[in-house]
Amino acid sequence: MPDQQFSDAELAAQPAAYWTGVAHEALIAYTRERQAEKGYTQPQFWLLRNLSAADISPDGAGMTLPELQRAMASYIRPEDDLAVDAEALVRKGRLRRDAEDRLWITEEGEQARLDLKRNAPAIRAALHAGIPDADYVTTVKVLRQLVRNAGGTAA
C-alpha cells in the first residue's frame, strides 16, 4: 500500500498483519542503518550482549557459535551470519576464542558493548519522534491483544 491518507474507517478495515510487517521491516532497517553508521552490525551488538555478564549472559561464560545461534533464535534474521560477525569481533579484539571454540567477551568487547549501548536512546528518540508516550503505550497494548487473539503469548 502506498503512503497515502486514509480515513479512520479505512484504517480500521486494514489488515494488522500488513502494517505490523511493514513496521517490523522499516524499524529494523532504520536501526541497522544507524548502527552501520557507527561501524557495527546489530548481530555484533547481540553477540557482545549475549556474552556479557553485565547484560544478557547470566554468568559471562563463553559460548559456541551454535549455542549463540540458539540463544538468539527468536530475533536473528535469515540474512545474519553470526560466524562472520563473530570473526570480525575476534579480529577487533572484542571477542576471543578458546581451545573448545567458545567465544568470550574481552575487556575491550565489554567497553565496546557499553559504547554501542549508548546509541540506543538516540535511535529510540528518532523512531518515537511525534508519538506521545500515551499513544505508544496504547499501540503496544493493542499489539499485545492482537497476539493473544491470534493464540500467541504476549510477553
Side-chain angles (χ1 to χ4, degrees), residues 80-100:
D80 294 337
D81 189 334
L82 288 184
V84 168
D85 283 305
E87 191 54 40
L89 292 171
V90 168
R91 280 194 312 275
K92 291 178 181 179
R94 295 176 178 174
L95 296 180
R96 66 173 178 81
R97 188 174 273 115
D98 69 16
E100 286 86 40

Side-chain angles (χ1 to χ4, degrees), residues 1-152:
M1 293 180 194
D3 200 10
Q4 56 184 307
Q5 294 294 330
F6 294 102
S7 69
D8 286 356
E10 289 171 319
L11 286 172
Q14 291 187 359
Y18 170 79
W19 287 109
T20 57
V22 169
H24 178 79
E25 293 303 320
L27 296 170
I28 288 173
Y30 180 86
T31 299
R32 288 180 174 216
E33 287 166 9
R34 299 299 76 78
Q35 291 171 326
E37 290 170 359
K38 300 289 186 181
Y40 68 100
T41 69
Q42 192 171 47
Q44 287 172 350
F45 185 46
W46 291 337
L47 285 164
L48 294 172
R49 293 191 67 206
N50 274 272
L51 291 167
S52 173
D55 202 330
I56 295 174
S57 175
D59 57 9
M63 297 173 75
T64 64
L65 208 48
E67 289 170 334
L68 285 159
Q69 288 171 321
R70 282 191 296 279
M72 297 184 218
S74 66
Y75 49 89
I76 200 79
R77 294 177 57 90
E79 67 270 20
D80 294 337
D81 189 334
L82 288 184
V84 168
D85 283 305
E87 191 54 40
L89 292 171
V90 168
R91 280 194 312 275
K92 291 178 181 179
R94 295 176 178 174
L95 296 180
R96 66 173 178 81
R97 188 174 273 115
D98 69 16
E100 286 86 40
D101 214 25
R102 300 177 84 72
L103 294 164
W104 297 79
I105 193 168
T106 64
E107 285 184 35
E108 185 176 331
E110 183 59 30
Q111 187 58 54
R113 183 191 67 80
L114 291 170
D115 292 344
L116 299 175
K117 183 179 176 181
R118 289 184 188 100
N119 296 321
I123 293 170
R124 183 190 187 284
L127 292 172
H128 285 241
I131 303 169
D133 284 347
D135 289 352
Y136 181 76
V137 168
T138 297
T139 300
V140 172
K141 287 179 178 180
V142 168
L143 291 171
R144 292 181 69 195
Q145 187 60 49
L146 285 169
V147 169
R148 286 190 293 271
N149 290 351

